[in-house]
């Protein structure tokens, strides 16, 4: 098992049990984001539902006119994991998504000068009519 596979499993557990999304985001970048083996294992992917999730989170954070630019997603097939990012109204936004448990995290840097972040836990369930999106949490809190 690659070293990053163990760290991904730990990250998944942290996301599923987190009381702070900032901790999840920090763990990803501290333990995986700069690992050459981890970076090399991902392949560019098109995941329309993740694009839709970014758009929905963007509307909640910035309003209905939010623009998404430069979306880049990378799938690690054997780990059932997708990560990536984009610009949301010019602000950096990232995503971590575990396909096997249908849970992910979108983090948006809403003010780079202060480090202010907004977080949203996401699920990509299809075909469930009438579901309303939940709130987006400014700061490190957990919102689903």
């Amino acid at each position: 098992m690659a070293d990053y596979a163990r760290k991904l499993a730990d990250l998944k557990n942290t996301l599923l049990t987190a009381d702070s999304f900032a901790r999840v985001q920090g763990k990803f970048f501290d333990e995986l984001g700069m690992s050459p083996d981890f970076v090399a294992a991902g392949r560019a992917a098109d995941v329309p539902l993740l694009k839709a999730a970014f758009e929905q989170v963007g509307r909640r954070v910035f309003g209905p006119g939010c623009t998404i630019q430069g979306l880049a997603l990378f799938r690690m097939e054997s780990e059932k994991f997708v990560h990536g990012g984009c610009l949301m109204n010019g602000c950096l936004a990232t995503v971590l998504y575990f396909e096997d448990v249908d849970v992910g995290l979108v983090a948006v840097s809403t003010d780079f000068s202060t480090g202010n972040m907004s977080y949203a836990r996401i699920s990509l369930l299809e075909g469930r009519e009438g579901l309303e999106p939940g709130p987006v949490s400014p700061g490190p809190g957990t919102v689903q």
Side-chain angles (χ1 to χ4, degrees):
M1 173 187 285
D3 185 47
Y4 67 79
R6 180 188 52 76
K7 291 178 181 177
L8 266 177
D10 184 48
L11 181 68
K12 181 191 315 182
N13 185 60
T14 301
L15 176 59
L16 291 170
T17 61
D19 59 358
S20 167
F21 286 158
R23 194 174 100 217
V24 177
Q25 185 78 353
K27 185 178 201 66
F28 173 77
F29 284 107
D30 291 347
E31 296 181 10
L32 291 162
M34 296 300 170
S35 163
D37 291 340
F38 173 79
V39 173
R43 300 290 175 254
D46 180 31
V47 186
L49 285 174
L50 274 178
K51 182 177 188 298
F54 268 118
E55 291 168 348
Q56 189 174 65
V57 170
R59 285 191 300 271
R60 300 289 291 202
V61 173
F62 295 110
C66 179
T67 59
I68 305 295
Q69 297 175 305
L71 178 63
L73 298 172
F74 302 92
R75 174 177 276 127
M76 301 175 75
E77 190 67 40
S78 62
E79 285 79 15
K80 304 293 184 212
F81 179 71
V82 180
H83 65 99
C86 67
L87 292 176
M88 231 179 239
N89 276 15
C91 297
L92 182 63
T94 60
V95 66
L96 314 171
Y97 177 68
F98 292 93
E99 296 173 306
D100 58 337
V101 292
D102 186 36
V103 69
L105 175 69
V106 173
V108 184
S109 176
T110 53
D111 187 339
F112 190 72
S113 65
T114 64
N116 189 40
M117 300 286 292
S118 291
Y119 298 93
R121 187 184 322 249
I122 61 168
S123 173
L124 303 182
L125 293 174
E126 289 186 89
R128 298 205 36 208
E129 306 235 357
L131 291 181
E132 290 295 320
V136 174
S137 173
T142 298
V143 174
Q144 296 187 40

